[in-house]
Amino acid sequence: MSQARTKYSNTAKLLTVLPTIFVLVFVIAPVANIFGKTFRDVSLSLLRSGTIHEIIWFTTWQALVSTVIALALAAPVAFCVANFRFYGQRLVTSLTGIPFILPSIVVGVAFLGVLPSTLHRTAFALILAHAYFNFGFAARMIGNRWLQIHPYLDDAARTLGASPSRLFSTITLPILQRSILNTSLIVFTLCFTSYGVVRMLGGPSRSTIETEIFFRAMQLGDVSGAMLLSVVQILIIGSLFVVSTRFGSRDSRRASAPTISRQRRIDSTAKRFVVGLASLGAIGFTTAPLLAILIRSLRTSAGFTLEGWRSVATSTDLWRGLSTSFVYALGTLAIAVLLAIFASTATVFDERTAAFISVLTSLPIVVSSVSIGLGVLVTFDTPPIDWRGSQLMLPLAHAMIALPLAVRMITPVLQSIPAPLRQASSVLGANTWQTWRNIDLPIVRRSLVSAAAISAAVSLGEFGASSFLVRQNNETLPILISRLLSRPGDILQTQAFALSMILVVFSVALIFLIDTFDDFTPTNRAASDA
Amino acid sequence: MNRTKTRVGLLLTVGALIFGACNTGRSTERNDATGDSTDQDQTAGSTAPVTLKLLAYDSFTPSANIFDDFTAQTGIKVEVVLGGDAGELVTRAALTAGNPEADILWGVDNTLLSRALTARIFLPYETKNIANLDEQAQALVPNNEATPVDTGDVCINYDVNWFNQRNIAPPLTLRALTSSNYASLLVVPSPIASSPGLAFLLATIAEFGEDGWGEYWKSLKQNGALIVGDWTTAYYTEFSGSSGKGDRPIVVSYASSPPAEMIFASPRPATAPTAVAALTCFRQVEFAGILRGTKREREAQQLIDYLTDVKFQEDLPLTLFVYPANNKAKLPDDFVRYSLRPESPLQLDPDLIARNLLMWLDQFTNIVLR
């Protein structure tokens, strides 16, 4: 028994080498370089500027408000999905998951299409888009946790005479509390470091830290200021994460779904009305912006036209952008899945490496994609390590950003393999590699597909790091879309919407792939819920 | 069943990788053409045709076949890549200095020169036409860090017909623009990305001083001035006197824009449809240079020579609407007849610009854009 553990923990340590090297070189080194350069050379006077204070304040409060609204929108959906069984439930769940996986620039573009132009550069548009982005994810997380509350708890409370509100406040809410908190933290981080949405809907008067970093580095020419802001952002998000892990580690009990489902049939008109309203509202809210993209890609001020799509099909620039994005997505998924397999297997084999891997794969989230892009740009810029122009740079940066997600897709599945299976295999004489190939791999194969799909989705839509690292010949789709939208001209706008539609189609296809191949049961989701 | 799925999956992956490899090959070929050439390619009579990449701002529109002569003489092809407005170009060039995206950069002007030189984006080169180039322009680059290619003036342009129809006197000075007579009539390209926009900002700094320009811009903003991202939008979309037929009859553009409106209108109007407010002009000099890190330095030098040669320079007035830097280049009659060369345009000391540019742009962003 102890011999097996030693054997696996050695393997685990070996397996962490490759992911560690990659994260070290492409995430930690650039960030350390930014920190180093900032504390050595850069004057901190920028921090005293009132405008920067305003930007930091704006970033914070818009993230807070977006989180609250996202949760408010998620609550009814979670309530319906967890407590009722109704026709179209799967559809609601799948559809509300779409916005989360959409590229952020597409969400920005979608709201440019939905909202009238008077609302385009307002905080309202930003907050609405952020809520749109995240409410499905929040609904899923909270809904799953709710599903794990045994229905008999509710029944017991009702038997003792609790009114529905009393039930909620004394039974449901305390159990859901941790999940709500964790979800809020993730949503807040995403809204805080949101880039694509703010670039499209914000404008110079509605700048967040992320877009300000881009503006300073790539337009104003003030790289030092950009690095300073990057440091501030990483410190803020980093401390949030530290605080959350302190709180989160208290309740790590993994609950499993009760054998009796709490999803009941709808038995009253009032409930039917509520559920119907919530589901239709959720579906409507999710699909309206996507429809807006489609419509705007077919219409100019002159009327209905296919010119946008036609020019996309015939323009060499746009085809090059498409193929570049496609190739980068392939590269990203190859690198990310490979590293994720190593990391996940190491997690499962040994507990201490599990903690290490968890920190390692959280780093790319703490360091936002914009900081990774800026870091790579200012770090790998002197020969012999002048990799700025290398074709591999973007897939590598994308892979680092996708790695956390890929690992979180594969690890739960690997963890669900009972240890006796592996022990049986080694009793029968298989070495570690044979065990892995014959036991782990077949079980984990399906989640590899989902990990690949999510890495591809991240790469296709990645905008933050790409804004810094894209060069003349290898523009990706999101960059092309933002360029098209920054120039006036009806046809250019329709082209941008057409390209966004292509991204939407790919993202939706990928999410359906993920939903099919990922074992979406509450037991497996519990691991990522904590 | 499983085997078939695996085989199909494998086939798709291999197919996709091949497709991807072909496309990567294509784009790396393009990169190779300018970047990763081996020594063999540099010798004369090489097997592969050499292509130089010329990176310029979006409004770089010389005559269609202007580089054919160059290709005929030297065998080098020229690929023109448009990369946004001058400000963007220079910032990106600064960030990629030493590992450039192209071989030659066209469009750094005297307002952005300091940024370009600090980042050392260029390789010094003394062109063979140096004796004929404008002396004042040369004085800005005493060590041949870049090569002047054209000069011009950035001025307030106004729509003559618009003002005539409403019987209003057009604005003739910078101060006049803040008057309520001209409320919401001005469109300005942002100095952040656009070099004429930046030239205009510097003109206001030259006119009102380092302490007064902030107030001036606050008044402009209160008076309804529209700031747009780039010059092309300002001139060709928002300006009422050009093809966009926009709403705003006052725009920041070039002293040579009125000739363009005259010469390219059909039928030719009797009088110039737009005019220039001569007291608002700022002298602009544009440079081109070889990007440091290019693997085709010798070919790039030949292209710089060509860009300063009489033939190319004589094409500039009627395509880019600038004055050639080469004194030997003849100006077309139409151009001379309809253009205005202000005698004493506003100017700022290049060292002053170099030291304060970032601070001014930062302040501008705070005052006007936020």
Side-chain angles (χ1 to χ4, degrees):
Chain A
M1 193 48 176
S2 60
Q3 238 192 356
R5 203 180 297 158
T6 327
K7 174 164 75 169
Y8 284 143
S9 54
N10 282 340
T11 324
K13 291 200 183 74
L14 258 176
L15 286 172
T16 54
V17 167
L18 197 64
T20 314
I21 292 180
F22 271 80
V23 174
L24 200 69
V25 172
F26 295 107
V27 179
I28 299 181
V31 170
N33 194 18
I34 291 184
F35 270 71
K37 280 199 174 131
T38 307
F39 290 132
R40 256 199 327 261
D41 307 327
V42 174
S43 88
L44 296 176
S45 59
L46 184 65
L47 283 182
R48 269 182 252 128
S49 137
T51 330
I52 296 299
H53 293 166
E54 269 179 46
I55 292 178
I56 298 180
W57 171 235
F58 176 68
T59 315
T60 314
W61 77 252
Q62 64 84 21
L64 271 173
V65 176
S66 307
T67 310
V68 167
I69 297 189
L71 285 179
L73 289 175
V77 179
F79 171 68
C80 295
V81 165
N83 291 303
F84 298 106
R85 198 169 60 231
F86 56 94
Y87 184 63
Q89 195 172 23
R90 275 299 299 275
L91 187 67
V92 171
T93 321
S94 300
L95 277 184
T96 50
I98 290 180
F100 191 65
I101 202 147
L102 281 181
S104 62
I105 187 175
V106 169
V107 174
V109 167
F111 275 84
L112 278 181
V114 166
L115 295 172
S117 55
T118 44
L119 284 176
H120 273 180
R121 303 238 176 269
T122 58
F124 171 74
L126 265 183
I127 292 174
L128 193 63
H130 282 159
Y132 174 80
F133 216 166
N134 293 301
F135 91 102
F137 166 75
R140 236 182 231 212
M141 291 282 109
I142 299 178
N144 286 338
R145 190 72 186 89
W146 207 329
L147 272 171
Q148 290 166 8
I149 303 179
H150 202 292
Y152 284 179
L153 275 177
D154 293 36
D155 290 345
R158 278 195 215 104
T159 316
L160 291 168
S163 62
S165 56
R166 193 84 194 278
L167 179 85
F168 185 73
S169 60
T170 50
I171 305 286
T172 322
L173 202 55
I175 299 184
L176 285 184
Q177 207 175 342
R178 177 78 355 94
S179 172
I180 294 179
L181 225 65
N182 286 332
T183 312
S184 317
L185 193 74
I186 298 178
V187 172
F188 178 83
T189 308
L190 290 174
C191 294
F192 194 87
T193 58
S194 162
Y195 179 69
V197 172
V198 185
R199 274 285 300 273
M200 292 294 112
L201 290 172
S205 56
R206 286 279 170 232
S207 202
T208 59
I209 300 183
E210 287 279 283
T211 52
E212 188 67 11
I213 295 175
F214 170 78
F215 173 69
R216 296 214 153 248
M218 302 297 285
Q219 293 189 328
L220 208 56
D222 177 18
V223 181
S224 327
M227 290 198 291
L228 184 59
L229 281 176
S230 206
V231 167
V232 167
Q233 161 129 308
I234 294 175
L235 286 176
I236 294 179
I237 298 295
S239 27
L240 268 178
F241 261 72
V242 166
V243 163
S244 82
T245 35
R246 283 286 152 78
F247 282 132
S249 57
R250 262 190 256 149
D251 181 44
S252 56
R253 242 180 328 130
R254 251 177 251 145
S256 52
T259 44
I260 303 177
S261 164
R262 57 179 293 122
Q263 292 172 321
R264 306 250 161 88
R265 286 186 162 276
I266 303 173
D267 52 9
S268 78
T269 335
K271 288 191 188 142
R272 192 179 309 256
F273 179 71
V274 166
V275 171
L277 193 65
S279 330
L280 285 178
I283 295 179
F285 186 49
T286 312
T287 48
L290 302 179
L291 279 179
I293 299 182
L294 185 62
I295 294 175
R296 284 294 294 267
S297 73
L298 293 170
R299 250 187 47 192
T300 62
S301 49
F304 177 78
T305 171
L306 282 173
E307 189 52 41
W309 284 97
R310 208 179 303 139
S311 47
V312 166
T314 53
S315 152
T316 40
D317 273 340
L318 299 178
W319 270 108
R320 198 169 52 199
L322 270 168
S323 67
T324 310
S325 282
F326 184 63
V327 170
Y328 283 171
L330 279 178
T332 306
L333 75 85
I335 303 173
V337 171
L338 184 69
L339 293 178
I341 295 177
F342 277 61
S344 300
T345 316
T347 310
V348 167
F349 278 177
D350 184 40
E351 292 233 338
R352 267 202 311 234
T353 27
F356 175 71
I357 293 282
S358 152
V359 169
L360 197 74
T361 53
S362 300
L363 283 176
I365 305 181
V366 172
V367 179
S368 65
S369 58
V370 163
S371 299
I372 292 181
L374 178 66
V376 166
L377 199 61
V378 302
T379 308
F380 302 121
D381 63 350
T382 26
I385 316 183
D386 193 347
W387 295 340
R388 280 170 298 177
S390 160
Q391 288 274 47
L392 272 182
M393 214 61 234
L394 266 179
L396 279 167
H398 291 175
M400 290 301 105
I401 297 169
L403 185 63
L405 295 168
V407 169
R408 279 163 179 74
M409 289 245 126
I410 302 178
T411 310
V413 180
L414 269 180
Q415 273 167 341
S416 68
I417 300 176
L421 265 181
R422 291 207 192 88
Q423 291 163 355
S425 136
S426 45
V427 159
L428 289 169
N431 60 27
T432 319
W433 164 240
Q434 284 170 326
T435 308
W436 193 85
R437 203 181 44 169
N438 292 311
I439 305 285
D440 295 60
L441 190 54
I443 296 181
V444 116
R445 206 164 29 202
R446 287 162 67 97
S447 70
L448 287 186
V449 176
S450 350
I454 207 167
S455 307
V458 164
S459 170
L460 276 179
E462 211 286 317
F463 190 37
S466 309
S467 298
F468 290 81
L469 297 174
V470 141
R471 314 244 303 176
Q472 271 302 329
N473 265 343
N474 53 8
E475 284 139 349
T476 56
L477 274 185
I479 301 288
L480 278 179
I481 294 175
S482 77
R483 289 238 174 100
L484 284 170
L485 282 174
S486 67
R487 299 261 176 264
D490 271 344
I491 293 300
L492 293 178
Q493 310 267 322
T494 48
Q495 284 178 344
F497 281 102
L499 285 179
S500 304
M501 199 65 219
I502 295 179
L503 273 181
V504 168
V505 167
F506 270 116
S507 307
V508 170
L510 286 169
I511 200 186
F512 274 113
L513 200 67
I514 295 173
D515 264 348
T516 321
F517 278 88
D518 192 24
D519 285 331
F520 183 63
T521 59
T523 34
N524 290 355
R525 271 282 167 261
S528 46
D529 179 64
Chain B
M1 240 346 152
N2 253 340
R3 281 252 175 91
T4 325
K5 269 203 216 158
T6 322
R7 286 206 186 113
V8 169
L10 212 63
L11 214 70
L12 280 176
T13 320
V14 170
L17 282 171
I18 294 180
F19 172 67
C22 288
N23 275 319
T24 322
R26 215 179 299 143
S27 35
T28 38
E29 248 177 63
R30 239 176 261 123
N31 276 334
D32 272 341
T34 61
D36 317 331
S37 63
T38 61
D39 282 324
Q40 283 181 336
D41 284 338
Q42 299 245 358
T43 60
S46 60
T47 45
V50 171
T51 309
L52 283 178
K53 264 210 218 159
L54 175 69
L55 186 58
Y57 43 65
D58 278 350
S59 41
F60 182 72
T61 47
S63 300
N65 298 320
I66 193 69
F67 291 111
D68 285 357
D69 248 8
F70 179 68
T71 311
Q73 284 169 22
T74 59
I76 305 170
K77 292 225 252 310
V78 176
E79 182 190 341
V80 175
V81 180
L82 302 181
D85 245 347
E88 264 181 68
L89 273 184
V90 172
T91 312
R92 291 180 61 101
L95 283 170
T96 55
N99 194 338
E101 297 178 288
D103 301 295
I104 292 194
L105 181 65
W106 168 294
V108 178
D109 74 344
N110 52 326
T111 61
L112 295 166
L113 189 62
S114 58
R115 207 192 277 179
L117 296 184
T118 323
R120 288 170 43 237
I121 66 179
F122 288 137
L123 285 172
Y125 171 61
E126 183 178 304
T127 168
K128 66 176 173 33
N129 296 314
I130 191 168
N132 299 329
L133 294 181
D134 181 89
E135 270 175 13
Q136 275 190 333
Q138 271 297 114
L140 293 172
V141 278
N143 297 322
N144 296 312
E145 300 93 325
T147 310
V149 283
D150 63 69
T151 62
D153 299 281
V154 173
C155 315
I156 292 286
N157 280 222
Y158 58 87
D159 182 351
V160 172
N161 294 327
W162 194 98
F163 284 96
N164 280 346
Q165 279 168 5
R166 288 161 185 71
N167 229 345
I168 310 176
L172 294 176
T173 62
L174 286 175
R175 177 53 74 191
L177 291 173
T178 56
S179 141
S180 53
N181 294 340
Y182 306 115
S184 300
L185 296 181
L186 173 65
V187 54
V188 180
S190 164
I192 310 287
S194 157
S195 65
L198 182 54
F200 180 66
L201 173 64
L202 294 178
T204 61
I205 298 179
E207 173 94 349
F208 299 105
E210 290 184 71
D211 297 322
W213 68 271
E215 282 308 309
Y216 175 72
W217 276 93
K218 282 198 193 114
S219 327
L220 270 190
K221 186 176 173 193
Q222 272 167 351
N223 209 23
L226 176 67
I227 321 278
V228 292
D230 56 278
W231 174 80
T232 315
T233 313
Y235 194 76
Y236 287 112
T237 306
E238 302 287 349
F239 182 46
S240 62
S242 186
S243 52
K245 302 274 173 275
D247 295 327
R248 304 229 164 200
I250 314 176
V251 70
V252 169
S253 185
Y254 298 93
S256 46
S257 297
E261 294 300 324
M262 271 301 273
I263 294 169
F264 287 97
S266 61
R268 193 172 282 204
T271 52
T274 61
V276 158
L279 296 172
T280 63
C281 295
F282 188 89
R283 176 62 45 95
Q284 187 191 47
V285 181
E286 281 189 348
F287 299 87
I290 306 175
L291 289 168
R292 179 169 61 95
T294 168
K295 304 258 183 348
R296 303 206 182 275
E297 187 176 346
R298 245 180 300 134
E299 288 84 346
Q301 288 172 347
Q302 292 179 297
L303 185 55
I304 294 278
D305 288 339
Y306 182 75
L307 291 174
T308 47
D309 258 349
V310 167
K311 170 153 189 174
F312 185 86
Q313 293 273 310
E314 281 183 348
D315 183 61
L316 290 177
L318 289 180
T319 53
L320 263 59
F321 293 94
V322 288
Y323 284 82
N326 191 330
N327 298 325
K328 295 264 188 289
K330 272 198 317 263
L331 296 171
D333 291 330
D334 272 343
F335 191 75
V336 175
R337 199 179 330 152
Y338 296 117
S339 72
L340 172 103
R341 200 90 222 249
E343 286 181 2
S344 48
L346 295 160
Q347 301 197 55
L348 271 183
D349 175 35
D351 283 330
L352 191 65
I353 300 180
R355 264 176 298 140
N356 294 321
L357 184 59
L358 188 58
M359 179 185 74
W360 287 335
L361 284 177
D362 224 342
Q363 286 172 338
F364 176 84
T365 311
N366 292 338
I367 295 173
V368 181
L369 292 182
R370 293 206 203 271

